[in-house]
Amino acid sequence: MGAFETSSPAVAPKLLPRLSEQYLSLRSNGQRLIETLESACAWGNTPDGGMNRLACNDDDGKVRQWFIDETKKCGCEIKIDAMGNMFAIRPGQNNNLPPIGIGSHLDTQPTGGKYDGILGVTSGIEVLQTLHANNITTYAPLAIINWTNEEGARFPPAMLASGVWGGAFTTEYGHGRTDQNGVTLKQELERIGFLGKTPCSFEANPLSAHFELHIEQGPMLDAAEFPVAVVRGVQSIRWYSIDIVGREAHTGTTPMDRRSDALLGAAKMIVEANRFVTEGDLAARGARATIAVIESGPGSINTIAGKVRLNLDIRAPTDLDVALVEELCRARFHEICEEQGLTMDIDHFWTSPALHFDPTMVQCVRESANKAGCQMELVSGAGHDSVYTSLKVPTAMMFVRCRDGVSHNPAEYSRPEDCAAGAEVLLGAYLRYDNYLRTLNEPAKA
Amino acid sequence: MGAFETSSPAVAPKLLPRLSEQYLSLRSNGQRLIETLESACAWGNTPDGGMNRLACNDDDGKVRQWFIDETKKCGCEIKIDAMGNMFAIRPGQNNNLPPIGIGSHLDTQPTGGKYDGILGVTSGIEVLQTLHANNITTYAPLAIINWTNEEGARFPPAMLASGVWGGAFTTEYGHGRTDQNGVTLKQELERIGFLGKTPCSFEANPLSAHFELHIEQGPMLDAAEFPVAVVRGVQSIRWYSIDIVGREAHTGTTPMDRRSDALLGAAKMIVEANRFVTEGDLAARGARATIAVIESGPGSINTIAGKVRLNLDIRAPTDLDVALVEELCRARFHEICEEQGLTMDIDHFWTSPALHFDPTMVQCVRESANKAGCQMELVSGAGHDSVYTSLKVPTAMMFVRCRDGVSHNPAEYSRPEDCAAGAEVLLGAYLRYDNYLRTLNEPAKA
C-alpha cells in the first residue's frame, strides 16, 4: 500500500468551534493554483515533462527568488534561516502568536515530477492569495514555508532542514552534509545566496502549528476514487548503508566454488530483502524493503567484484515491523556472507519513527475534507517535513490523489480538479485551526 | 576448475628431430628473470603489492620504453605496429623466415598483479638474454612481443591488438575503442608515442609461430604441485552487455506488488546465472558465468532503480556449453523481466571460440616440460593473445603455477623457482621449434 487506510481516530476528536460565515464563504481559485504550479516549475524541468531540481543547485536558487517575489505581492515579509528554510510571513490580528505554518518543499528528485512538494508550497501560496484577494486578516499570522533539501537526493538524509528546525539534527550536521562531489550544503547555500541569518530552530523562529498538503505518492486515493485524504500519521522509516567485501579474481579461471563474489552476495541480499516484505504477515502489514543504490568495484568485466556498497530503505506502519525487517535482513545477510566468503559492515544511519499527528489539527483537516465529500483517512508511506515539525508543534497533513500512485518519476501527475480540491481542503483546515486559536486565546469573544 | 586437465593428445604428436648438444646445454637464469620482472613492474605498481597499469596510460608508456631499452641490449631491432604492438626482433641464420614469436602483454587490470602477462614478456626477454649471453644465433629470427591492451580493462574487448594482428578485428575497430571517458585507443597510442607505422596484420608483419608463457590464474597446478603445465588449448568465451529498464518510483509509497524494480530484476539475473553453472552437468563440465559490472540509476536511496546495465561473461571448455549457458540465461532473464515488469536488451558483443593449439608446437612444449619433470596438461580458462595468433600461425602455451590460483588481484604470486622453471620450459620449447624449422627448411643438414 502506498499509504495505509486506518480505523477510527485513536482519540475522540475535540469539538471545534463553529467557523464564522466570513471564513465559510472563502473559496480558493483552482485555475490560479495551476498557473502558480506551472510557474514554480519554470526552472529545472526536463524534456520528459518531469523535474530535476536538486537542493541548492542554480535552478533551486531561481525558484527561491520566485517564491520571494510571489509571496511579497501578498504582503509577506521573508525570513530565511541558517539552513535556507524560507518563511513568507503574513501578519495576523494577534502578532504575539507565532504564525501558523503551511509548508512543503521546492526541491525534487533527479528524476522527479512537478507535484511532489511543489504542489504543497503552491497550495500554501494559493491560501495566501485567497486571503489577500479577500482582504482577510486572520487571527494568527500565517507563514508559507519552503523547507530546504526535503528529498535528500543530493544531500542525504531526507527532510534535513526541517529536521534541524525540529531539533532532530544540529545546524552543524546539516551544514556539513555533502553531495557526490564532496560539496557541502552550507557551501551551496552560500553560493546561491540563501544562507540566512535567522537561527534554524523552533525556539529562535517558532510556529503555532504546521499544515502540509502533499500528493499521496501511492495508489490508495486513485483506487478509492477520492481527490483528497486526511493523513493521520507517517510510517516508520530506517535507512542503512551496507559495505560488502569479497576478493577480486579472474572470471575465467577462478572455480565457481572458490570465489568470494561481492556482487553475487549483494544480489542475494537484494532478492532476500525483497522476499521478506513480499511474503506472509509483513507483506500483509504493509512493510517495505528497497535497495535502490548499488556501487560495485573494480568494474572490469573479467574481474570478479571485490567491493560492493548498497543502500537499504526499510519502512512499515509500525516501528516494531521495521525493526523486525531489519532483524531478518541482518541475520540473512550474515548467512549470505558466510556462504559466499564475504565480510560486511552495516551502517544504520537514519531513523524516522512512526508518527501520529495532533488530534485537533487532524480534526481540522477531517472537517474540511468531509465538507468536500472526502472520507478517506490514511497513514503516509513517505516521510515529509511534517514529521519533524510535529516534534515541536501541532501538525497535520492532507494527501491529493496522484495518477496510478506514481511519484519520483517524470510521469507523476495530479489532475487540476484534484489539486484544486486539495487547496480547498487546506484552506478550510487552516481557517479552522486559526479560528480554534482565536477561541483559545480570546474565550470571551468566542 | 581454473583450467581443465585433459586426456591424451587428440592427434598423435609428430616425432621431433633431436635437439643439438649446443641447444641442450643452454640454461636460463632464474635470478636474472626475477630482476627483469621487478624492473618491468617499476611503473604502475600499487602500495598493496599489486599493479594498476591500464593500457596506454603514462605508466604503460614508460614500461614500453623500458622494453625497447632491454631488448636493444641484446641486439634487437624494434618494430611497432599501428595498434602499438611491439616486436623486438633478433636476427637468425635464415632471415628469409619470419621470426618465431614469444609474446604476452605488459598492461594489467586496475587491481592486477605482477605476473599476469608481465611474466610472459619477461620470460621471453630471459630467452633473449640467454641466447645473447651464449652468443647463439638461432636458425629463424626471434621476436619478443608486447601485445597492446590484452586485458581489455580500459579498452574492451580483451586481446584487442593481437586480435587485429590475427585478423579478428580491423585496425579501424581497434583504433576506435574508447575508455570510460570516451578517449579512443588511437588517441592514447598517439599521446604516449606508440602509434607505429608498421601495419597491424600477419600479412604485413608475419611470424613463423607464437609461444606464450603465462601464469595459470587457476588452482590446478597448485593442487597438483607442478611448477609448469602444457596448455593444449583455450576454453570458449562470450561477453554480453545487458540493459534492463524498469520504472522509477517512490520507495516508501509504491506497493511491493506494483513495482518495476530494475535492480531487483538484475539481482535475480545475477543469482540465476550463477545457479546455472554451480548445479548439475554444466558445473561438472566446468562452465562459468559471471556478472562483475553493474551500473544502476538514478542512484537515489528512496527512488526505485529504473535503469540497470550488466556485463555478463560466460565460459566453458566447449562452444556448445557456452551456447547452452547463454540459452538458459536468455530464457530465465526474459521470465524475470516478465515477472518484474521490466524490459531488457541483450547485446552479445564478443566471442572467443574454444581453441586447440598446433600439435607440433604443443609437442615442443610437452618435450621441454617433460624434461623438467612436468606431466600436467591443461586447457586454459582465460583468453590470451595466443588465441588470436593461432588464427594465423602455429601457437602453443605453457602455464606457471600461481599461489591459490589467485589472479586479477594484488595478491597474485608465483614463486621465483616456478617462474624460473617456466622460463626453462619456454627456452626448451622455443629451441625445439627452431630446430624443427631448420630440419623442415634444410632437410639435407638434418
Side-chain angles (χ1 to χ4, degrees), chain B residues 12 89 126 137 139 177 187 220 292 295 313 374 386 406 445:
Chain B
I89 298 165
E126 175 54 32
T137 301
Y139 179 68
R177 297 304 86 203
Q187 290 172 315
M220 301 294 286
E295 287 157 24
D313 172 312
C374 302
S386 290
V406 173
K445 297 187 188 172

Side-chain angles (χ1 to χ4, degrees), chain B residues 293-309:
Chain B
V293 178
I294 184 168
E295 287 157 24
S296 176
S300 172
I301 186 169
N302 57 351
T303 301
I304 293 163
K307 288 185 180 52
V308 173
R309 168 167 290 176

Side-chain angles (χ1 to χ4, degrees), chain A residues 334-352:
Chain A
H334 278 293
E335 283 173 15
I336 289 167
C337 288
E338 286 292 319
E339 294 159 10
Q340 304 296 325
L342 307 169
T343 60
M344 173 179 65
D345 178 54
I346 301 182
D347 172 24
H348 170 192
F349 67 89
W350 183 64
T351 301
S352 177

Side-chain angles (χ1 to χ4, degrees), chain B residues 149-430:
Chain B
N149 188 56
E150 190 274 348
E151 294 293 354
R154 181 178 180 191
F155 298 101
M159 297 125 61
L160 179 64
S162 51
V164 172
W165 183 89
F169 312 118
T170 65
T171 300
E172 294 58 41
Y173 175 83
H175 280 171
R177 297 304 86 203
T178 56
D179 67 8
Q180 289 173 331
N181 306 322
V183 182
T184 66
L185 177 62
K186 187 183 184 185
Q187 290 172 315
E188 282 296 89
L189 277 174
E190 219 152 17
R191 186 181 68 77
I192 64 170
F194 283 88
L195 182 64
K197 294 196 171 31
T198 307
C200 179
S201 71
F202 163 75
E203 292 70 18
N205 181 31
L207 297 171
S208 291
H210 186 262
F211 282 108
E212 183 170 11
L213 175 150
H214 205 282
I215 58 170
E216 181 197 341
Q217 307 182 288
M220 301 294 286
L221 280 166
D222 212 19
E225 298 188 342
F226 281 116
V228 180
V230 178
V231 182
R232 302 277 320 290
V234 180
Q235 71 178 345
S236 176
I237 313 172
R238 291 188 197 177
W239 285 359
Y240 311 81
S241 173
I242 303 171
D243 285 296
I244 305 159
V245 177
R247 189 180 62 181
E248 290 86 10
H250 193 294
T251 59
T253 60
T254 312
M256 299 307 296
D257 59 1
R258 286 167 142 253
R259 298 180 171 205
S260 299
D261 185 335
L263 184 51
L264 177 62
K268 294 189 171 201
M269 293 176 194
I270 293 167
V271 172
E272 289 292 88
N274 177 265
R275 192 174 58 79
F276 291 136
V277 295
T278 50
E279 293 178 354
D281 296 355
L282 280 166
R285 297 203 296 268
R288 304 212 167 90
T290 313
I291 291 169
V293 178
I294 184 168
E295 287 157 24
S296 176
S300 172
I301 186 169
N302 57 351
T303 301
I304 293 163
K307 288 185 180 52
V308 173
R309 168 167 290 176
L310 301 175
N311 283 351
L312 170 64
D313 172 312
I314 301 177
R315 309 190 188 214
T318 66
D319 298 332
L320 225 62
D321 276 348
V322 168
L324 176 56
V325 174
E326 173 182 332
E327 200 181 306
L328 288 166
C329 286
R330 282 187 186 273
R332 185 68 189 110
F333 290 4
H334 278 293
E335 283 173 15
I336 290 167
C337 287
E338 286 291 320
E339 293 158 11
Q340 304 296 325
L342 308 168
T343 60
M344 173 179 63
D345 178 53
I346 301 183
D347 173 24
H348 170 191
F349 67 89
W350 184 64
T351 301
S352 177
L355 177 70
H356 304 285
F357 287 136
D358 175 80
T360 306
M361 291 284 284
V362 170
Q363 183 60 17
C364 291
V365 177
R366 181 179 294 118
E367 284 192 10
S368 183
N370 293 354
K371 185 156 173 286
C374 302
Q375 312 301 332
M376 192 169 215
E377 308 216 346
L378 302 171
V379 170
S380 173
H384 296 289
D385 292 306
S386 290
V387 169
Y388 285 132
T389 62
S390 72
L391 298 179
K392 297 294 184 178
V393 299
T395 296
M397 291 184 70
M398 61 226 72
F399 277 161
V400 170
R401 158 169 55 182
C402 61
R403 187 176 56 194
D404 302 329
V406 173
S407 182
H408 287 197
N409 186 301
E412 180 181 277
Y413 177 74
S414 290
R415 278 174 285 184
E417 55 270 35
D418 292 350
C419 297
E424 194 69 26
V425 171
L426 173 63
L427 175 66
Y430 158 72

Side-chain angles (χ1 to χ4, degrees), chain B residues 97-170:
Chain B
L97 288 176
I100 296 173
I102 298 178
S104 197
H105 59 96
L106 292 171
D107 70 315
T108 77
Q109 287 284 325
T111 58
K114 291 182 169 177
Y115 300 84
D116 174 359
I118 303 172
L119 182 61
V121 174
T122 51
S123 298
I125 292 173
E126 175 54 32
V127 168
L128 186 67
Q129 291 170 332
T130 302
L131 298 176
H132 193 66
N134 293 274
N135 290 310
I136 300 236
T137 301
T138 52
Y139 179 68
L142 167 63
I144 309 304
I145 306 168
N146 171 35
W147 297 105
T148 298
N149 188 56
E150 190 274 348
E151 294 293 354
R154 181 178 180 191
F155 298 101
M159 297 125 61
L160 179 64
S162 51
V164 172
W165 183 89
F169 312 118
T170 65

Side-chain angles (χ1 to χ4, degrees), chain A residues 16-24 428 431-433 435-436:
Chain A
L16 290 172
R18 193 177 175 293
L19 211 55
S20 69
E21 283 311 321
Q22 183 194 35
Y23 275 14
L24 277 169
L431 292 174
R432 280 169 174 79
Y433 198 76
N435 191 46
Y436 169 77

Side-chain angles (χ1 to χ4, degrees), chain B residues 19-48:
Chain B
L19 212 55
S20 69
E21 283 311 322
Q22 183 194 37
Y23 275 16
L24 277 169
S25 65
L26 277 180
R27 289 284 169 276
S28 61
N29 180 336
Q31 177 57 36
R32 181 175 55 193
L33 168 62
I34 297 307
E35 288 161 8
T36 308
L37 181 80
E38 282 306 322
S39 55
C41 294
W43 305 275
N45 51 49
T46 52
D48 53 14

